[in-house]
Amino acid sequence: MGMLINIDNGGTLTDICLLKDNNSYKTKTLTTPYDLSKCFFDGLRKISEAVYGQEDVARLLAEVDHIRYSTTQGTNAIVERKGPRLGLVVNKGSDLPARLRELDVELYDFFVGNRVAEVDLHALDDEAKGAETTAVITRLTSIGANRIVVCFESDKASEFEAQFKRLAFDNYPRHLLGAVPMLFASELVDDVSTERRAWSAMINSFLHPAMESFLYNAENRLREYRTKNPLLIFRNDGDASRVAKTIALKTYSSGPRGGLEGVKTFSKQYNLNNVLFMDIGGTTTDIGQVVNSTVQEDRRGLVEGVPISFSLCEIASPGVGGSSILAVKDGAIQVGPESVGAVPGPACFGRGGKNATITDVNLLLGLLDPTTYFGGGLALDADRARTAIADNVATPLGISVDEALFKMRDAVEQKVANELQAHGTIDANTVLMAFGGAGPMNACGAADKSGISTVYIPKMAAVFSAFGIGSCDIGQSYSVVLKGDRQASLEGAYVNLMERGERDMFAEGYSKGEYAFEARLIAEKDGVELSHKIDGAVAIPQEMAKADAITLEVSVRKNLKTESNTHAGVKKGNPAKATKNRSLFMGDAGWQDVPVYEVNFMEPGVYGAGPAVIEEEFFTCLVHEGWEFVVTELGDIRLTKGEK
């Protein structure tokens, strides 16, 4: 295997994992939301030092085979409701806005609100109606629309949207400062459901500006180093593609999908049939489940409960993380969804943050060591943490800071537990995988509260989502709804999509024969779907002849994945040796010294029991009393409640 760099960009921290000659290296850097390319290159500098012993980005980029990038920025933006305001253009008399709003009132009002305009479709044939088009765009921008989505509801939606586009660009040429970015739903996706098409277009338009600005900036900077292969974007469908061939919506939840791919491999290694995972970052906790080593994926995914036209794996991303704001509302502690991110960050970071977070709590409980946190690269300020907790939680509740610490920790763990129970199926065989920078920290507490007695923490827990994208394939997917004479439409669409796939893979650097095509028909009849794989004749099977709608789906993929058949054992050997002790605040019991076990010095088979702390450069795990741990053959950690 050559050299691969995987980068997972989160709201607070950006994770970097480098794989080279069966060795792995990892590091983290603070996310710089004002310029994501800065933390991107900060991470490259740090990982080059880990590999070569000194910073040498030029050498790193000359030797690397692929750089794969995933992000939770889109997820975080929607969770926190931070982004551009949209205007929506529909055909006159359409009740589409009302139907969209019914699906999610709060999200629709945030995206669009009253910024809706109707256009008479039949008037668009007349060039003189350009004035009406101008008036529509002017009105939407004057009431705050930063970007405009055009979605017409008609059998000829694509034709009408093309007419509107021509008139709009005639009156607002794109080179003028007065031009406003516009997205036409029919150009983004072909779908029989107008609601799905509209939501897809709105979410894509919402995510597009930040993704475009950062990704092209990063790609241009990489070119300055003469990187031999382009930056690849890991998408939420599990594949990767270059920047120019990636739509913004495909970056939504792409970071968590990387974690899901890693969990799938992990479940095979340990023969685990029911794995529920939580990836706790700075802004969100990503939750998913892998049953029988299979990723659960919906052909028509949901984003915060609203339907979109693209497939998505089943991942929930509630707004609770290491940098989530903890505050008092109506006499109770509220966790998130707002986050302080990396800037200003938790109060203890000393960067001007004044809000309380679980990171501040864990510092005051003694769980975090200010001298070793974040690899020793980020000093923590306990006085600032105490002030933030006093001002935002303890005083409003009328309790002491010490009392507030446990109430805050319980609130966070309970919220995570509630989300685990709501998203996954938990039974006696369910195990919890905890990863991400903050995942292991409260893993035992969240497991206790959700009724799970076995927890696994992978040795690459701190950068597990970045690690998980390391073996993704390169490819694209396309779809067309068959209209009119369906057989003729199928034959034409099949040829067109195959040609499009060849062009896209040529742009990725692959010649014909180096990748594989797959095509299938999806028929919908009375809400039921029927799938047919096209192996030979390009024809509609008889059982689909009377379907309400038929969609041709084509995927083209260069397979880069390498499946390992390695199965790992878990067997106790020698007792683990603590490298030091740490004093933890135990409430009424006061301060108590507990052993600290450093992951880098723990051999397979060593075991121990809580209360204890397990830590490495970028994660800390609190082992509760009544829990035991053992290091597996592969260096991962298994925690069990009681002996197992």
Side-chain angles (χ1 to χ4, degrees):
M1 180 177 69
M3 183 189 292
L4 304 174
I5 298 175
N6 309 316
I7 300 175
D8 181 29
N9 168 243
T12 302
L13 298 173
T14 294
D15 301 342
I16 300 91
C17 173
L18 186 146
L19 306 174
K20 178 184 179 184
D21 301 328
N22 296 320
N23 294 317
S24 59
Y25 304 83
K26 63 180 180 295
T27 191
K28 287 177 176 281
T29 184
L30 289 173
T31 295
T32 49
Y34 53 87
D35 181 4
L36 292 177
S37 65
K38 183 180 186 307
C39 56
F40 181 92
F41 278 89
D42 285 346
L44 293 179
R45 281 190 282 271
K46 290 182 69 174
I47 202 69
S48 71
E49 186 173 358
V51 175
Y52 303 124
Q54 61 182 14
E55 184 181 306
D56 195 340
V57 176
R59 178 183 174 187
L60 182 77
L61 295 179
E63 295 180 356
V64 67
D65 289 325
H66 293 292
I67 302 175
R68 297 183 175 100
Y69 175 88
S70 67
T71 181
T72 58
Q73 290 297 326
T75 309
N76 297 344
I78 293 178
V79 167
E80 297 186 87
R81 304 296 191 255
K82 295 179 179 178
R85 290 182 289 185
L86 308 178
L88 177 63
V89 177
V90 298
N91 45 298
K92 192 174 184 64
S94 172
D95 65 346
L96 178 61
R99 302 203 312 271
L100 296 175
R101 193 171 187 272
E102 284 178 2
L103 290 168
D104 192 317
V105 173
E106 196 275 333
L107 186 60
Y108 177 84
D109 286 347
F110 168 70
F111 277 163
V112 177
N114 66 344
R115 297 180 295 276
V116 179
E118 296 183 354
V119 173
D120 188 347
L121 297 177
H122 300 289
L124 289 177
D125 287 330
D126 187 353
E127 292 272 355
K129 292 298 182 178
E132 179 185 352
T133 305
T134 301
V136 164
I137 298 172
T138 301
R139 183 164 69 252
L140 291 176
T141 56
S142 68
I143 58 177
N146 306 121
R147 305 177 72 84
I148 291 176
V149 172
V150 181
C151 185
F152 290 151
E153 189 168 22
S154 167
D155 290 339
K156 297 182 178 180
S158 59
E159 295 178 25
F160 287 127
E161 289 175 21
Q163 291 174 17
F164 184 91
K165 179 179 181 179
R166 174 175 52 80
L167 291 169
F169 287 177
D170 281 348
N171 290 276
Y172 276 96
R174 303 188 73 175
H175 63 275
L176 297 181
L177 294 176
V180 58
M182 283 184 278
L183 187 146
F184 300 87
S186 59
E187 292 184 349
L188 178 71
V189 64
D190 194 8
D191 192 343
V192 295
S193 168
T194 306
E195 289 91 343
R196 288 195 301 250
R197 194 159 50 88
W199 274 113
S200 298
M202 290 191 298
I203 295 170
N204 192 80
S205 189
F206 176 81
L207 298 177
H208 187 94
M211 291 298 100
E212 177 186 46
S213 174
F214 157 64
L215 292 174
Y216 277 105
N217 187 22
E219 191 173 56
N220 288 335
R221 291 186 63 181
L222 286 173
R223 287 196 185 102
E224 295 174 5
Y225 285 94
R226 301 182 183 277
T227 310
K228 59 184 176 182
N229 287 314
L231 175 65
L232 293 176
I233 309 306
F234 179 72
R235 307 189 309 259
N236 52 30
D237 59 8
D239 289 336
S241 57
R242 60 194 178 96
V243 176
K245 289 296 180 180
T246 303
I247 65 172
L249 180 51
K250 287 288 188 177
T251 69
Y252 174 84
S253 204
S254 64
R257 178 61 190 257
L260 192 55
E261 291 296 321
V263 173
K264 182 175 69 173
T265 300
F266 194 94
S267 68
K268 292 179 180 179
Q269 290 175 332
Y270 290 96
N271 295 315
L272 303 174
N273 296 323
N274 187 352
V275 183
L276 192 59
F277 75 83
M278 63 177 194
D279 175 4
I280 305 183
T283 304
T284 60
T285 293
D286 300 312
I287 295 171
Q289 191 161 25
V290 173
V291 178
N292 296 325
S293 302
T294 301
V295 172
Q296 303 300 312
E297 190 169 31
D298 293 328
R299 178 172 169 263
R300 304 297 192 186
L302 297 174
V303 173
E304 292 218 340
V306 299
I308 62 171
S309 302
F310 300 97
S311 63
L312 276 179
C313 53
E314 298 177 2
I315 294 176
S317 299
V320 51
S323 293
S324 293
I325 295 173
L326 305 184
V328 175
K329 184 177 182 180
D330 299 328
I333 296 174
Q334 177 173 299
V335 182
E338 296 83 6
S339 170
V340 294
V343 180
C348 62
F349 280 15
R351 295 172 176 240
K354 298 185 181 299
N355 295 108
T357 70
I358 190 63
T359 303
D360 299 301
V361 171
N362 284 323
L363 174 63
L364 295 185
L365 288 174
L367 181 57
L368 300 179
D369 183 346
T371 64
T372 62
Y373 182 76
F374 202 62
L378 183 62
L380 299 181
D381 191 323
D383 290 338
R384 291 178 185 269
R386 183 170 292 275
T387 298
I389 291 171
D391 291 346
N392 294 285
V393 179
T395 299
L397 289 178
I399 59 177
S400 69
V401 169
D402 289 348
E403 291 174 303
L405 295 177
F406 292 96
K407 288 184 178 294
M408 294 166 74
R409 185 175 71 178
D410 284 346
V412 170
E413 291 178 350
Q414 190 62 59
K415 181 168 182 177
V416 172
N418 291 345
E419 297 289 351
L420 288 170
Q421 291 169 328
H423 182 81
T425 301
I426 298 176
D427 56 32
N429 296 317
T430 303
V431 303
L432 176 66
M433 267 190 71
F435 52 89
M441 203 169 300
N442 298 103
C444 289
D448 264 334
K449 290 178 172 62
S450 55
I452 298 174
S453 58
T454 302
V455 177
Y456 277 85
I457 299 173
K459 64 181 179 181
M460 297 295 287
V463 296
F464 193 72
S465 289
F467 180 75
I469 71 176
S471 60
C472 69
D473 295 332
I474 297 175
Q476 289 287 352
S477 298
Y478 320 95
S479 67
V480 170
V481 178
L482 305 183
K483 298 182 177 69
D485 182 338
R486 287 176 173 172
Q487 180 58 41
S489 178
L490 169 61
E491 293 170 2
Y494 184 84
V495 171
N496 289 337
L497 294 188
M498 288 293 184
E499 291 177 349
R500 184 177 171 187
E502 288 181 7
R503 290 195 302 269
D504 285 347
M505 293 307 288
F506 180 78
E508 298 286 3
Y510 298 104
S511 302
K512 194 171 182 178
E514 294 184 291
Y515 48 82
F517 279 102
E518 184 174 300
R520 64 173 181 163
L521 294 172
I522 304 294
E524 299 175 51
K525 176 68 174 177
D526 298 328
V528 178
E529 289 189 351
L530 179 66
S531 178
H532 169 73
K533 185 176 181 180
I534 298 177
D535 282 327
V538 181
I540 298 174
Q542 185 62 37
E543 60 268 25
M544 291 185 173
K546 295 183 179 180
D548 297 328
I550 302 178
T551 301
L552 169 65
E553 296 185 343
V554 171
S555 63
V556 55
R557 183 172 293 109
K558 168 64 178 179
N559 192 298
L560 299 178
K561 292 179 181 177
T562 53
E563 293 286 347
S564 172
N565 294 320
T566 302
H567 291 286
V570 185
K571 185 172 64 174
K572 286 184 178 180
N574 299 316
K577 295 181 180 179
T579 54
K580 55 188 172 183
N581 289 332
R582 184 169 301 162
S583 188
L584 302 185
F585 184 59
M586 300 293 190
D588 293 339
W591 291 86
Q592 179 180 340
D593 284 344
V594 303
V596 176
Y597 302 97
E598 294 187 42
V599 174
N600 294 336
F601 300 109
M602 295 169 66
E603 298 293 329
V606 302
Y607 65 92
V613 173
I614 300 174
E615 68 178 10
E616 53 112 82
E617 301 98 312
F618 299 114
F619 79 74
T620 300
C621 172
L622 174 61
V623 184
H624 284 201
E625 186 172 359
W627 285 74
E628 297 183 349
F629 70 86
V630 60
V631 178
T632 74
E633 287 181 354
L634 297 179
D636 306 304
I637 300 167
R638 190 189 72 180
L639 301 165
T640 52
K641 190 174 183 179
E643 188 171 357
K644 201 162 187 173

